[in-house]
Amino acid sequence: MSKVLTVISDYYKDIAGLLLVGAKEELDDKGVQYDELYVPGAFEIPAAIVFSIMSDRSSYNGYLALGCVIRGETDHYHYICKRVIGSLGEIAIQHSVPLGMGVITADSKERASARADKNQKNVGGNAALAVLRMMEIYNQFLK
């Protein structure tokens, strides 16, 4: 049976909750097991995924990154977004692991909430579907 590690940034707890609802619905619907791992912010998501990949105790077939970065008054937003998104892409390629990217980058909390809500953009659900599809492709070529 397939198993996914869902790494969730709980910096914006309400948005993380919305992302997780959408993701869980898709994973449950497909009968995929998952564990949830909470990290303090979006910046910590890639490191947590790499820790799992490098662990000899890891039993995951895929990884799901869920979180949110909202633009503030400084350039911090740009640096965090670039590093988080870039790192997730590098992890997927360099470690050859299926990874779903559900990290929202938004100008406001209202826009982020709309993107996270399963009844609107459903970023969490779409990221879960993406990791499941990548797991299929991985199995097609590498198993």
Side-chain angles (χ1 to χ4, degrees):
M1 170 158 281
S2 295
K3 192 170 185 182
V4 171
L5 177 62
T6 303
V7 181
I8 308 120
S9 162
D10 62 1
Y11 189 83
Y12 293 102
K13 290 184 188 315
D14 51 342
I15 295 169
L18 291 170
L19 288 165
L20 192 55
V21 166
K24 286 168 113 174
E25 189 171 283
E26 294 297 342
L27 295 171
D28 289 339
D29 186 54
K30 305 294 187 279
V32 175
Q33 293 181 343
Y34 53 89
D35 288 331
E36 298 170 17
L37 176 64
Y38 290 87
V39 296
F43 185 80
E44 290 78 21
I45 293 171
I49 291 172
V50 170
F51 296 160
S52 173
I53 291 168
M54 297 182 76
S55 169
D56 58 354
R57 298 176 307 220
S58 186
S59 61
Y60 299 104
N61 306 97
Y63 297 87
L64 181 55
L66 300 177
C68 179
V69 183
I70 297 175
R71 185 184 314 271
E73 297 177 7
T74 69
D75 290 341
H76 184 256
Y77 168 85
H78 298 289
Y79 297 115
I80 295 298
C81 292
K82 183 176 181 177
R83 195 67 217 144
V84 171
I85 305 304
S87 293
L88 291 172
E90 289 173 18
I91 290 167
I93 292 167
Q94 293 191 9
H95 292 280
S96 299
V97 295
L99 195 149
M101 204 289 290
V103 178
I104 294 172
T105 59
D107 290 331
S108 69
K109 198 165 185 182
E110 295 75 27
R111 287 183 180 174
S113 293
R115 293 186 62 208
D117 189 326
K118 75 173 189 151
N119 297 312
Q120 294 184 50
K121 296 290 184 185
N122 196 17
V123 168
N126 291 327
L129 291 173
V131 73
L132 295 175
R133 178 64 182 127
M134 292 309 293
M135 288 164 57
E136 291 173 357
I137 294 170
Y138 177 91
N139 289 333
Q140 178 181 347
F141 290 108
L142 298 174
K143 280 264 174 157

